Amino acid sequence: METPTASLPGGTWTLGDSPVTRFGYGAMQLTGPWAMGPPADRDGALTVLREAVEAGITHIDTSNAYGPGVTNELIAEALRPYPESLLVATKVGANRDAQGGWPTARRPEDLRTQVRENLRSLGVETLDLVNMRMGDATGTQSGSLAEAFGTLAELQTEGLIRHLGVSNVTPEQVDEARAIAPIVCVQNMYNLAHRHDDALIDQLAAQGIAYVPFFPLGGFTPLQSETLSAVAEQLEAAPMSVALAWLLQRSPNILLIPGTSSTAHLRQNIAGAALTLPEASVAELDRIGG
Ligand SMILES: NC(=O)c1ccc[n+]([C@@H]2O[C@H](COP(=O)([O-])OP(=O)(O)OC[C@H]3O[C@@H](n4cnc5c(N)ncnc54)[C@H](OP(=O)(O)O)[C@@H]3O)[C@@H](O)[C@H]2O)c1
């Protein structure tokens, strides 16, 4: 595909030595329900991916666990040969079971297998960015990440991974990872209503490390809040636009990866995130997560 030139809300951020648009795209919602199986509308899913890149997005988040294999294969089909500017971030640390569960898989041999599967399904020789996922979508879990993250650092030295990140982690695990190898991002759950990581975001900003909130719109249960609806109404904007604009305004190291299976929502989110929130609206929105 040709390298796009469009500019997007929020401008760019450099992950390691790779500039990306702060407005990115999260591919998990392209699968069947609950991130399992193929999409109901395969052509529609391919169109969403192509339109995201044509709009100028240069950061796509995925995992071989989505489907499993489904989002990676859709990304490869829609976007290969990949534009040089595109960075595809993936994550390892869990497999899928027949019930749609996410069993932990973090032994060195599990991680090596998952990295190989990501390389195959994305059709690349080096993964741009791999996040070591520790907790799960319900939150973080304490404990050492040294063996798991150390394995990814070895795979980076072997040339299979360009940049490393961590996901679903505590601040202590971030520090532990940084003592093993440089990280370019932390991917944790964060949005208007879940602000557990406020202090961590500020710390990472000072360290030049990106913070990539997953579930920026609330995930499988999209954000619902009377305050959000009221602010959106005052600004004549959609609530999801306000939620995204708020994240972009919250800190310059926040990168957006909102998910959608719909080109209409993709367009609405790109346009809506450009909204500038007045201070009074930000103060009102702060009450949601306070
Ligand atoms: N590290 C981790 O453990 C972890 C966990 C979960 C997710 N992630 C990553 O984070 C990314 C984002 O998370 P997510 O996609 O689950 O959640 P999300 O971005 O918070 O929300 C996606 C949901 O919002 C809906 N939506 C999007 N735009 C909308 C709009 N303008 N109006 C109304 N509804 C809208 C989507 O439905 P439609 O499809 O109908 O638009 C979808 O149901 C994922 O794609 C994945 O890459 C990582």
Side-chain angles (χ1 to χ4, degrees):
M1 287 184 73
E2 287 197 17
T3 304
T5 53
S7 64
L8 288 161
T12 58
W13 175 269
T14 302
L15 286 167
D17 56 0
S18 306
V20 294
T21 50
R22 287 182 67 213
F23 193 104
Y25 173 72
M28 188 178 77
Q29 301 290 343
L30 292 180
T31 63
W34 302 104
M36 280 296 277
D41 176 5
R42 184 181 175 79
D43 288 343
L46 295 170
T47 302
V48 169
L49 285 163
R50 292 191 182 113
E51 191 162 321
V53 169
E54 279 158 16
I57 287 173
T58 61
H59 176 207
I60 294 181
D61 189 79
T62 184
S63 169
N64 203 62
Y66 300 157
V70 169
T71 54
N72 281 7
E73 282 162 15
L74 288 169
I75 288 169
E77 183 175 340
L79 303 178
R80 282 184 76 201
Y82 298 113
E84 262 190 41
S85 56
L86 181 67
L87 181 143
V88 178
T90 188
K91 61 193 77 72
V92 291
N95 285 328
R96 301 304 297 278
D97 61 27
Q99 291 72 41
W102 305 78
T104 296
R106 286 186 216 131
R107 294 172 308 170
E109 59 269 34
D110 297 327
L111 297 171
R112 285 182 173 274
T113 301
Q114 290 165 50
V115 164
R116 272 199 303 276
E117 283 169 0
N118 275 283
L119 288 165
R120 181 200 54 76
S121 52
L122 287 169
V124 293
E125 289 179 3
T126 304
L127 297 170
D128 296 332
L129 165 56
V130 179
N131 283 306
M132 184 60 241
R133 179 183 185 271
M134 292 305 295
D136 59 29
T138 62
T140 57
Q141 291 158 6
S142 58
S144 174
L145 52 60
E147 185 185 49
F149 189 72
T151 302
L152 292 195
E154 282 170 23
L155 289 162
Q156 183 181 39
T157 305
E158 290 166 29
L160 300 184
I161 300 174
R162 186 164 179 80
H163 300 301
L164 296 175
V166 286
S167 178
N168 311 57
V169 280
T170 62
E172 293 72 30
Q173 288 167 332
V174 172
D175 291 342
E176 194 186 12
R178 293 185 69 215
I180 296 170
I183 58 167
V184 299
C185 66
V186 172
Q187 183 178 126
N188 274 3
M189 179 171 163
Y190 182 82
N191 57 44
L192 264 172
H194 290 90
R195 297 187 53 177
H196 189 68
D197 274 350
D198 270 330
L200 178 62
I201 290 171
D202 297 335
Q203 176 199 311
L204 294 171
Q207 292 165 336
I209 297 170
Y211 183 88
V212 186
F214 74 76
F215 292 165
L217 300 174
F220 292 111
T221 314
L223 284 171
Q224 281 181 338
S225 141
E226 279 178 21
T227 307
L228 173 59
S229 301
V231 170
E233 202 175 316
Q234 283 157 21
L235 299 174
E236 296 180 1
M240 296 306 181
S241 302
V242 174
L244 293 175
W246 178 82
L247 284 169
L248 283 182
Q249 246 170 271
R250 167 65 183 79
S251 185
N253 64 327
I254 289 189
L255 308 186
L256 300 185
I257 51 163
T260 181
S261 53
S262 133
T263 49
H265 284 167
L266 176 68
R267 285 174 213 153
Q268 186 188 71
N269 293 345
I270 291 173
L275 186 70
T276 302
L277 299 174
E279 267 179 43
S281 304
V282 174
E284 265 186 77
L285 294 168
D286 279 346
R287 295 197 345 244
I288 299 175

